[in-house]
Amino acid sequence: MKGYFRKHGDTWSFTIDIGMDDLTGKRKQKTKTGFKTKKEAQKAAALLITELEQGIYVEEKKITVKDFMLDWLENVARHNVKPSSFVSYKSIVQTRIIPVLGKYHLTGLKPAIVNNFYTYLLKDENLSEEYVGTVHAVLGTAFNTAVKWEYIKSNVFKKVSKPRKKKKEMQTWSFEEARNFLEYAKKGKRHYYMLYLLAIYTGMRRSKILGIRWSDVNFETGKIGVKRTLYYTSEQGIIVQSTKNSQSMRSISISDFVLDELKQHKVWQLERKLQFNIPYYEESYITANETGDPLSPSHVYGHFSKAVKNAGIKKIRFHDLRHTHASLMLLLGEHPKIVSERLGHSSIEMTMNTYSHVTFYMQKESSNRFEEALKKTN
């Protein structure tokens, strides 16, 4: 296999036969131009010939980031991620990636361009490091597919680091704040009260609580089985999915108080079923609304924000109820392994890293108790 070299003005080029076209049966050639010297052209040609002989040559495809990302969304992402994740991916691609990077060819996307893109998102768009990290993950995953499809030789996003996530101060409630909020919430709609009660007393995520059915509650053992999640997407509405991994599919112990509240709530649902013919059944959701339908996750955010404001409690996110549960459990001296299991964390290290601020306080308290105990022995 030989290369054909030509000089055009001040630059050199080479042409190499790379085989036959499967569709037309005609000879295919590869030409590269722009070399300053013949020696540079010969070196590049030799590298290309080696790739061809070893069977590792990839004829990079001239396709734009926009066309590829839309193709990847519909033919890969849609079938391989959760519907809620797909909605997030689609939004990122359409609103963040395509407007800025869509015009580039896959082969023309270089590390410097990507770094400038991330800087633009952080400074001009005022997006968080965490969000830009998600953008980086979506692009990296998509470009892995581009490599598999032999559109490009390598993934440029493996040469670029995502922005370092800044650690934010965690917002949680005290025992008093949590108690006051629940007292206020109990005066309102019961299904929202039960949602907030379970969030504070178990540390479960919103999607997990919304997916709990009465058949998941074991009143004899005092445990709730976490078996599914309930999501909402603009395309498909409410979606229920089974929990797959071992950490998420678990049982959580609940206190006698929570059991009593669940029993009262079940009686309330049965009364409404008899009085208004509301379709509450054993397979109904605990947090089903007044008509017996699943409570939509999209309604929770607004209701929670308004309830916090009206209750006069420090403003936090719904997800911070999970952090509140964990922080208060640790402050009570509960073993981190137990807290880790309740939260469904993959390891105790993850729990300790997440709530290091609590354990720091606990160390101070522990050292004080040790000092007092030692003094008593004198």
mmCIF file of all heavy atoms in Angstrom, residues 3 32 49 99 112 117 124 130 133 141 148 174 181-183 193 201 235 252 260 273 278 311 335 342 345 365 371:
data_model
loop_
_atom_site.group_PDB
_atom_site.id
_atom_site.type_symbol
_atom_site.label_atom_id
_atom_site.label_comp_id
_atom_site.label_asym_id
_atom_site.label_seq_id
_atom_site.Cartn_x
_atom_site.Cartn_y
_atom_site.Cartn_z
ATOM 1 N N GLY A 3 1.311 5.646 -0.742
ATOM 2 C CA GLY A 3 0.654 6.940 -0.762
ATOM 3 C C GLY A 3 1.117 7.755 -1.962
ATOM 4 O O GLY A 3 2.239 7.586 -2.445
ATOM 5 N N LYS A 32 -5.582 13.724 2.451
ATOM 6 C CA LYS A 32 -5.392 14.698 3.524
ATOM 7 C C LYS A 32 -4.431 15.767 3.046
ATOM 8 O O LYS A 32 -3.424 15.459 2.395
ATOM 9 C CB LYS A 32 -4.855 14.026 4.790
ATOM 10 C CG LYS A 32 -5.899 13.203 5.534
ATOM 11 C CD LYS A 32 -5.419 12.827 6.917
ATOM 12 C CE LYS A 32 -6.518 12.132 7.704
ATOM 13 N NZ LYS A 32 -6.094 11.831 9.096
ATOM 14 N N ILE A 49 -1.652 4.175 6.919
ATOM 15 C CA ILE A 49 -1.452 2.851 6.320
ATOM 16 C C ILE A 49 -1.371 1.782 7.409
ATOM 17 O O ILE A 49 -1.937 0.692 7.276
ATOM 18 C CB ILE A 49 -0.176 2.852 5.447
ATOM 19 C CG1 ILE A 49 -0.404 3.698 4.195
ATOM 20 C CG2 ILE A 49 0.210 1.425 5.062
ATOM 21 C CD1 ILE A 49 0.847 3.939 3.377
ATOM 22 N N PRO A 99 -27.826 24.675 20.882
ATOM 23 C CA PRO A 99 -27.658 26.103 20.564
ATOM 24 C C PRO A 99 -26.200 26.558 20.481
ATOM 25 O O PRO A 99 -25.890 27.511 19.762
ATOM 26 C CB PRO A 99 -28.391 26.797 21.713
ATOM 27 C CG PRO A 99 -29.410 25.805 22.167
ATOM 28 C CD PRO A 99 -28.723 24.479 22.031
ATOM 29 N N ALA A 112 -10.475 22.531 23.761
ATOM 30 C CA ALA A 112 -10.562 23.974 24.036
ATOM 31 C C ALA A 112 -11.980 24.487 23.823
ATOM 32 O O ALA A 112 -12.475 25.336 24.577
ATOM 33 C CB ALA A 112 -9.593 24.736 23.138
ATOM 34 N N PHE A 117 -17.136 26.149 26.287
ATOM 35 C CA PHE A 117 -18.575 25.885 26.420
ATOM 36 C C PHE A 117 -18.969 25.795 27.892
ATOM 37 O O PHE A 117 -19.966 26.387 28.330
ATOM 38 C CB PHE A 117 -18.911 24.589 25.685
ATOM 39 C CG PHE A 117 -20.316 24.098 25.892
ATOM 40 C CD1 PHE A 117 -21.419 24.901 25.631
ATOM 41 C CD2 PHE A 117 -20.536 22.798 26.342
ATOM 42 C CE1 PHE A 117 -22.718 24.440 25.822
ATOM 43 C CE2 PHE A 117 -21.823 22.326 26.531
ATOM 44 C CZ PHE A 117 -22.911 23.146 26.273
ATOM 45 N N ASP A 124 -21.911 32.893 31.911
ATOM 46 C CA ASP A 124 -22.935 33.634 31.176
ATOM 47 C C ASP A 124 -24.351 33.144 31.480
ATOM 48 O O ASP A 124 -25.284 33.939 31.592
ATOM 49 C CB ASP A 124 -22.678 33.531 29.668
ATOM 50 C CG ASP A 124 -21.408 34.262 29.247
ATOM 51 O OD1 ASP A 124 -20.510 34.388 30.096
ATOM 52 O OD2 ASP A 124 -21.312 34.706 28.101
ATOM 53 N N GLU A 130 -22.891 21.511 39.366
ATOM 54 C CA GLU A 130 -23.567 20.210 39.332
ATOM 55 C C GLU A 130 -24.320 20.019 38.014
ATOM 56 O O GLU A 130 -24.270 18.951 37.408
ATOM 57 C CB GLU A 130 -24.541 20.108 40.505
ATOM 58 C CG GLU A 130 -25.229 18.757 40.612
ATOM 59 C CD GLU A 130 -26.120 18.657 41.835
ATOM 60 O OE1 GLU A 130 -26.332 19.693 42.502
ATOM 61 O OE2 GLU A 130 -26.597 17.554 42.124
ATOM 62 N N GLY A 133 -21.959 19.536 35.221
ATOM 63 C CA GLY A 133 -21.445 18.173 35.333
ATOM 64 C C GLY A 133 -22.379 17.177 34.673
ATOM 65 O O GLY A 133 -21.940 16.197 34.051
ATOM 66 N N THR A 141 -21.394 10.318 27.446
ATOM 67 C CA THR A 141 -22.090 9.071 27.133
ATOM 68 C C THR A 141 -22.467 9.006 25.658
ATOM 69 O O THR A 141 -22.313 7.967 25.006
ATOM 70 C CB THR A 141 -23.360 8.951 27.996
ATOM 71 O OG1 THR A 141 -23.002 9.002 29.376
ATOM 72 C CG2 THR A 141 -24.089 7.645 27.714
ATOM 73 N N LYS A 148 -18.397 3.998 19.129
ATOM 74 C CA LYS A 148 -18.848 2.639 18.805
ATOM 75 C C LYS A 148 -19.402 2.565 17.378
ATOM 76 O O LYS A 148 -19.225 1.564 16.688
ATOM 77 C CB LYS A 148 -19.928 2.197 19.795
ATOM 78 C CG LYS A 148 -19.425 1.952 21.198
ATOM 79 C CD LYS A 148 -20.562 1.541 22.120
ATOM 80 C CE LYS A 148 -20.070 1.349 23.547
ATOM 81 N NZ LYS A 148 -21.183 0.993 24.471
ATOM 82 N N SER A 174 -34.444 21.537 62.526
ATOM 83 C CA SER A 174 -34.249 21.003 63.871
ATOM 84 C C SER A 174 -35.460 20.145 64.218
ATOM 85 O O SER A 174 -36.448 20.100 63.479
ATOM 86 C CB SER A 174 -34.118 22.156 64.875
ATOM 87 O OG SER A 174 -35.343 22.887 64.930
ATOM 88 N N PHE A 181 -43.764 21.984 61.622
ATOM 89 C CA PHE A 181 -44.241 21.873 60.244
ATOM 90 C C PHE A 181 -45.292 20.777 60.127
ATOM 91 O O PHE A 181 -46.329 20.961 59.475
ATOM 92 C CB PHE A 181 -43.079 21.574 59.293
ATOM 93 C CG PHE A 181 -43.525 21.352 57.885
ATOM 94 C CD1 PHE A 181 -43.924 22.414 57.086
ATOM 95 C CD2 PHE A 181 -43.568 20.070 57.344
ATOM 96 C CE1 PHE A 181 -44.377 22.208 55.784
ATOM 97 C CE2 PHE A 181 -44.006 19.854 56.055
ATOM 98 C CZ PHE A 181 -44.406 20.929 55.267
ATOM 99 N N LEU A 182 -45.048 19.628 60.757
ATOM 100 C CA LEU A 182 -46.003 18.528 60.674
ATOM 101 C C LEU A 182 -47.326 18.892 61.358
ATOM 102 O O LEU A 182 -48.405 18.496 60.902
ATOM 103 C CB LEU A 182 -45.416 17.257 61.296
ATOM 104 C CG LEU A 182 -44.311 16.576 60.473
ATOM 105 C CD1 LEU A 182 -43.733 15.394 61.238
ATOM 106 C CD2 LEU A 182 -44.854 16.113 59.119
ATOM 107 N N GLU A 183 -47.251 19.648 62.450
ATOM 108 C CA GLU A 183 -48.477 20.093 63.124
ATOM 109 C C GLU A 183 -49.293 20.992 62.203
ATOM 110 O O GLU A 183 -50.528 20.903 62.167
ATOM 111 C CB GLU A 183 -48.128 20.832 64.417
ATOM 112 C CG GLU A 183 -47.616 19.906 65.517
ATOM 113 C CD GLU A 183 -47.179 20.680 66.762
ATOM 114 O OE1 GLU A 183 -47.222 21.939 66.722
ATOM 115 O OE2 GLU A 183 -46.792 20.037 67.751
ATOM 116 N N TYR A 193 -50.053 15.537 54.089
ATOM 117 C CA TYR A 193 -49.528 15.348 55.441
ATOM 118 C C TYR A 193 -48.792 14.017 55.544
ATOM 119 O O TYR A 193 -47.689 13.944 56.107
ATOM 120 C CB TYR A 193 -50.668 15.394 56.460
ATOM 121 C CG TYR A 193 -50.274 14.896 57.838
ATOM 122 C CD1 TYR A 193 -49.354 15.586 58.620
ATOM 123 C CD2 TYR A 193 -50.834 13.717 58.354
ATOM 124 C CE1 TYR A 193 -48.986 15.125 59.885
ATOM 125 C CE2 TYR A 193 -50.485 13.254 59.610
ATOM 126 C CZ TYR A 193 -49.557 13.958 60.362
ATOM 127 O OH TYR A 193 -49.193 13.496 61.618
ATOM 128 N N TYR A 201 -39.872 11.095 58.754
ATOM 129 C CA TYR A 201 -39.668 9.952 59.646
ATOM 130 C C TYR A 201 -38.887 8.795 59.022
ATOM 131 O O TYR A 201 -38.435 7.905 59.734
ATOM 132 C CB TYR A 201 -41.012 9.426 60.162
ATOM 133 C CG TYR A 201 -41.509 10.134 61.403
ATOM 134 C CD1 TYR A 201 -42.170 11.349 61.307
ATOM 135 C CD2 TYR A 201 -41.302 9.591 62.673
ATOM 136 C CE1 TYR A 201 -42.630 12.014 62.441
ATOM 137 C CE2 TYR A 201 -41.759 10.242 63.814
ATOM 138 C CZ TYR A 201 -42.422 11.456 63.693
ATOM 139 O OH TYR A 201 -42.874 12.108 64.825
ATOM 140 N N GLU A 235 -44.120 14.362 28.632
ATOM 141 C CA GLU A 235 -44.512 13.574 27.468
ATOM 142 C C GLU A 235 -45.512 12.483 27.813
ATOM 143 O O GLU A 235 -46.463 12.244 27.072
ATOM 144 C CB GLU A 235 -43.276 12.924 26.827
ATOM 145 C CG GLU A 235 -42.369 13.899 26.101
ATOM 146 C CD GLU A 235 -41.262 13.175 25.358
ATOM 147 O OE1 GLU A 235 -40.985 12.003 25.682
ATOM 148 O OE2 GLU A 235 -40.677 13.782 24.447
ATOM 149 N N ILE A 252 -37.983 -0.460 55.285
ATOM 150 C CA ILE A 252 -37.634 0.560 56.273
ATOM 151 C C ILE A 252 -38.534 0.408 57.492
ATOM 152 O O ILE A 252 -39.770 0.344 57.358
ATOM 153 C CB ILE A 252 -37.799 1.969 55.684
ATOM 154 C CG1 ILE A 252 -36.846 2.164 54.499
ATOM 155 C CG2 ILE A 252 -37.529 3.033 56.741
ATOM 156 C CD1 ILE A 252 -36.954 3.516 53.843
ATOM 157 N N ASP A 260 -49.565 4.257 63.622
ATOM 158 C CA ASP A 260 -50.887 4.750 64.023
ATOM 159 C C ASP A 260 -51.420 5.782 63.026
ATOM 160 O O ASP A 260 -52.605 5.775 62.684
ATOM 161 C CB ASP A 260 -50.811 5.376 65.423
ATOM 162 C CG ASP A 260 -50.630 4.329 66.512
ATOM 163 O OD1 ASP A 260 -50.938 3.158 66.251
ATOM 164 O OD2 ASP A 260 -50.158 4.694 67.612
ATOM 165 N N LYS A 273 -64.241 6.203 50.562
ATOM 166 C CA LYS A 273 -64.647 5.204 49.570
ATOM 167 C C LYS A 273 -66.123 4.862 49.735
ATOM 168 O O LYS A 273 -66.874 4.779 48.750
ATOM 169 C CB LYS A 273 -63.796 3.944 49.736
ATOM 170 C CG LYS A 273 -64.175 2.824 48.765
ATOM 171 C CD LYS A 273 -63.295 1.603 48.982
ATOM 172 C CE LYS A 273 -63.694 0.484 48.012
ATOM 173 N NZ LYS A 273 -62.856 -0.724 48.217
ATOM 174 N N ILE A 278 -65.125 6.673 46.253
ATOM 175 C CA ILE A 278 -63.766 6.931 45.765
ATOM 176 C C ILE A 278 -63.043 5.588 45.620
ATOM 177 O O ILE A 278 -63.106 4.751 46.524
ATOM 178 C CB ILE A 278 -62.986 7.833 46.745
ATOM 179 C CG1 ILE A 278 -63.747 9.126 46.999
ATOM 180 C CG2 ILE A 278 -61.591 8.127 46.197
ATOM 181 C CD1 ILE A 278 -63.924 9.993 45.790
ATOM 182 N N ALA A 311 -46.363 28.058 57.343
ATOM 183 C CA ALA A 311 -46.079 27.528 58.678
ATOM 184 C C ALA A 311 -45.045 28.366 59.406
ATOM 185 O O ALA A 311 -44.833 28.200 60.615
ATOM 186 C CB ALA A 311 -45.597 26.087 58.571
ATOM 187 N N HIS A 335 -26.248 4.651 64.935
ATOM 188 C CA HIS A 335 -25.060 4.183 64.220
ATOM 189 C C HIS A 335 -25.176 4.544 62.737
ATOM 190 O O HIS A 335 -26.235 4.339 62.115
ATOM 191 C CB HIS A 335 -24.921 2.659 64.356
ATOM 192 C CG HIS A 335 -23.560 2.154 63.985
ATOM 193 N ND1 HIS A 335 -23.109 2.099 62.685
ATOM 194 C CD2 HIS A 335 -22.536 1.698 64.768
ATOM 195 C CE1 HIS A 335 -21.884 1.626 62.660
ATOM 196 N NE2 HIS A 335 -21.511 1.383 63.904
ATOM 197 N N ARG A 342 -31.129 2.951 55.988
ATOM 198 C CA ARG A 342 -32.436 3.604 55.855
ATOM 199 C C ARG A 342 -32.485 4.487 54.612
ATOM 200 O O ARG A 342 -33.519 4.573 53.940
ATOM 201 C CB ARG A 342 -32.734 4.442 57.106
ATOM 202 C CG ARG A 342 -33.000 3.614 58.340
ATOM 203 C CD ARG A 342 -33.289 4.488 59.547
ATOM 204 N NE ARG A 342 -34.576 5.168 59.465
ATOM 205 C CZ ARG A 342 -35.755 4.616 59.716
ATOM 206 N NH1 ARG A 342 -35.828 3.340 60.062
ATOM 207 N NH2 ARG A 342 -36.865 5.315 59.643
ATOM 208 N N HIS A 345 -28.181 4.102 50.867
ATOM 209 C CA HIS A 345 -26.863 4.440 50.329
ATOM 210 C C HIS A 345 -26.102 3.170 49.967
ATOM 211 O O HIS A 345 -26.294 2.122 50.582
ATOM 212 C CB HIS A 345 -26.062 5.250 51.342
ATOM 213 C CG HIS A 345 -26.465 6.687 51.418
ATOM 214 N ND1 HIS A 345 -25.976 7.564 52.356
ATOM 215 C CD2 HIS A 345 -27.317 7.412 50.644
ATOM 216 C CE1 HIS A 345 -26.511 8.766 52.171
ATOM 217 N NE2 HIS A 345 -27.328 8.690 51.138
ATOM 218 N N GLU A 365 -18.980 16.570 70.837
ATOM 219 C CA GLU A 365 -19.817 16.133 71.948
ATOM 220 C C GLU A 365 -19.237 14.878 72.595
ATOM 221 O O GLU A 365 -19.243 14.727 73.820
ATOM 222 C CB GLU A 365 -21.234 15.848 71.444
ATOM 223 C CG GLU A 365 -22.003 17.089 71.014
ATOM 224 C CD GLU A 365 -22.277 18.016 72.183
ATOM 225 O OE1 GLU A 365 -22.910 17.561 73.153
ATOM 226 O OE2 GLU A 365 -21.837 19.175 72.141
ATOM 227 N N GLU A 371 -14.364 13.340 78.450
ATOM 228 C CA GLU A 371 -13.694 14.134 79.477
ATOM 229 C C GLU A 371 -14.444 14.056 80.802
ATOM 230 O O GLU A 371 -13.841 13.864 81.876
ATOM 231 C CB GLU A 371 -13.596 15.586 79.013
ATOM 232 C CG GLU A 371 -12.947 16.505 80.053
ATOM 233 C CD GLU A 371 -12.977 17.964 79.613
ATOM 234 O OE1 GLU A 371 -13.084 18.221 78.401
ATOM 235 O OE2 GLU A 371 -12.900 18.845 80.494
#
